[in-house]
């Protein structure tokens, strides 16, 4: 996502509806995409995107440009997505079961809307195995190419937490990869 | 550096290019002589590297997302307007408009003028006698109601029967 013009942000902050719509058009692909990577579900990503823009609309008037709008947006999206998942988990009283996510990747609706390629499917499967905090860190590092400092600022956590979340995420992915290789080998032998 | 430290770096800082040249050199030297660490780094690259989506991270949301946002924002704006209207109404009493101030001042001036021109009439001696007569009549009626006729015949209690009240009429 490219940087958004200051003038547009200021106009939207003053209640200009057209400017707000323009801001939405310029950022929604990114907001929705990031929310989708973290939540792993289309429906959740839509809810997160809606909450993000309602929050942005409320806060734009007091946005002070002390940080780049893009960085602020990252933070709002990720915090909203993580809170959304935590809330869902609290309501369910247990880890969210895979009702729409991983299995639904192959459903016709999901295929149409997300245009899942083989690598997209693999990415989704890998992210599904991680907890939301680890997922957010890994997405920012691997897909957004952020360094540890930027991840720490975006998520509001310290550098060592970034490090430990990435470490655990990668260890989990390695374990999953090794298990899959072993399963494939067993399947070929039988 | 020991394997334990190296392995931690391999899955984090080394993998992500967060180390200085000196540390990178130390790790690479270690990797040349340690097969287990070399194997771990291969696993990191093979299993823990996310495939990059063809279109990057961006994905187009459904049009209903904007419709919902627009509806929520309009509703919030309506609520805010309602609260603001109520606050304006309340503050009007504490910070009245010029027109209200003028109206109140004008009314006060008119009232004072009327009071000066038509002073309130004080009670005359005749008013007082009428009022005394009426209260005595009421007291008599209450005694009649209670049936205490002895008290009715007592001259002390009812000087009104002396008929002196007719003097004023």
């Amino acid at each position: 996502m490219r940087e958004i013009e200051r003038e547009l942000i200021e106009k939207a902050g003053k209640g200009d509806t057209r400017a707000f719509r323009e801001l939405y058009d310029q950022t929604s692909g990114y907001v929705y995409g990031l929310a989708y990577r973290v939540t792993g579900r289309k429906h959740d990503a839509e809810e997160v995107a809606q909450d993000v823009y309602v929050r942005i609309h409320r806060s734009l008037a007091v946005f002070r440009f002390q940080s780049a709008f893009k960085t602020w947006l990252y933070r709002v999206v990720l915090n909203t997505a993580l809170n959304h998942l935590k809330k869902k988990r609290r309501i369910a009283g247990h880890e969210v079961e895979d009702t729409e996510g991983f299995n639904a990747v192959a459903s016709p609706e999901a295929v149409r809307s997300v245009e899942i390629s083989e690598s997209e499917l693999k990415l989704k499967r890998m992210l599904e195995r991680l907890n939301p905090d680890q997922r957010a860190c890994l997405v920012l590092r691997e897909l957004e190419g952020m360094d540890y400092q930027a991840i720490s600022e975006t998520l509001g956590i310290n550098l060592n937490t970034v490090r430990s979340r990435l470490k655990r995420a990668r260890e989990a992915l390695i374990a999953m990869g090794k298990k899959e290789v072993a399963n494939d080998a067993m399947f070929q032998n039988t | 550096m020991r394997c334990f430290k190296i392995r931690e770096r391999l899955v984090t800082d080394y993998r992500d290019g967060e180390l200085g040249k000196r540390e990178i050199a130390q790790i690479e030297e270690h990797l040349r002589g340690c097969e287990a660490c070399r194997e771990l780094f291969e696993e990191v690259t093979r299993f823990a590297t996310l495939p990059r989506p063809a279109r990057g991270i961006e994905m187009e949301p459904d049009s209903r997302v904007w419709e919902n946002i627009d509806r929520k924002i309009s509703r919030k704006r309506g609520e805010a307007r309602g609260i603001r209207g109520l606050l304006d109404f309340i503050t009007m009493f504490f910070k009245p408009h010029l027109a209200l101030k003028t109206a109140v001042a004008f009314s006060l001036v008119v009232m004072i003028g009327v009071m000066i021109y038509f002073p309130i009439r004080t009670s005359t001696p005749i008013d007082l006698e009428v009022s005394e007569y009426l209260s005595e009549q009421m007291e008599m009626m209450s005694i009649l109601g209670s049936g205490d006729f002895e008290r009715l015949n007592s001259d002390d209690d009812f000087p009104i029967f002396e008929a002196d009240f007719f003097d004023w009429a």
Side-chain angles (χ1 to χ4, degrees), chain A residues 34 51 95 109 125 127-128 176:
Chain A
L34 187 56
D51 287 350
E95 281 283 330
E109 188 223 6
R125 206 173 53 204
L127 291 175
E128 285 278 334
M176 180 187 103

Side-chain angles (χ1 to χ4, degrees), chain B residues 34-87:
Chain B
C34 179
E35 200 187 330
C37 287
R38 218 167 36 237
E39 204 174 294
L40 174 68
F41 191 62
E42 277 169 19
E43 285 170 354
V44 173
T45 318
R46 184 177 171 197
F47 299 123
T49 304
L50 296 183
R52 293 187 73 83
R55 294 187 306 168
I57 203 162
E58 296 199 19
M59 287 163 65
E60 198 178 330
D62 195 284
S63 61
R64 70 169 171 265
V65 174
W66 169 256
E67 287 161 16
N68 289 341
I69 293 165
D70 197 34
R71 199 169 42 241
K72 279 186 184 179
I73 289 173
S74 304
R75 199 170 55 217
K76 282 197 184 289
R77 207 180 283 142
E79 282 167 9
R81 218 176 283 143
I83 292 167
R84 207 176 301 128
L86 183 67
L87 287 174

Side-chain angles (χ1 to χ4, degrees), chain A residues 14-34:
Chain A
K14 283 175 188 161
D16 185 328
T17 343
R18 260 194 221 170
F20 190 72
R21 175 68 213 235
E22 174 66 28
L23 189 70
Y24 173 83
D25 288 342
Q26 288 191 27
T27 55
S28 60
Y30 175 78
V31 167
Y32 177 69
L34 187 56

Side-chain angles (χ1 to χ4, degrees), chain A residues 126-132 134-135 138 168-169 172-173:
Chain A
M126 288 170 89
L127 291 175
E128 285 278 334
R129 300 296 167 107
L130 308 175
N131 76 35
Q134 295 169 355
R135 211 181 294 160
L138 202 64
R168 282 198 212 110
L173 292 177

Side-chain angles (χ1 to χ4, degrees), chain A residues 31 47-57 73 76-77 80-81:
Chain A
V31 167
E47 280 188 10
V48 169
Q50 285 164 25
D51 287 350
V52 165
Y53 284 100
V54 172
R55 282 179 70 180
I56 287 177
H57 186 265
L73 191 60
V76 176
V77 176
T80 310

Side-chain angles (χ1 to χ4, degrees), chain A residues 32 40 42 62 78 81 105 114 121 125 131 170-171:
Chain A
Y32 177 69
K42 192 176 168 233
V62 290
L78 289 167
V105 166
V114 185
L121 191 75
R125 206 173 53 204
N131 76 35
R170 286 178 176 144
E171 284 171 350

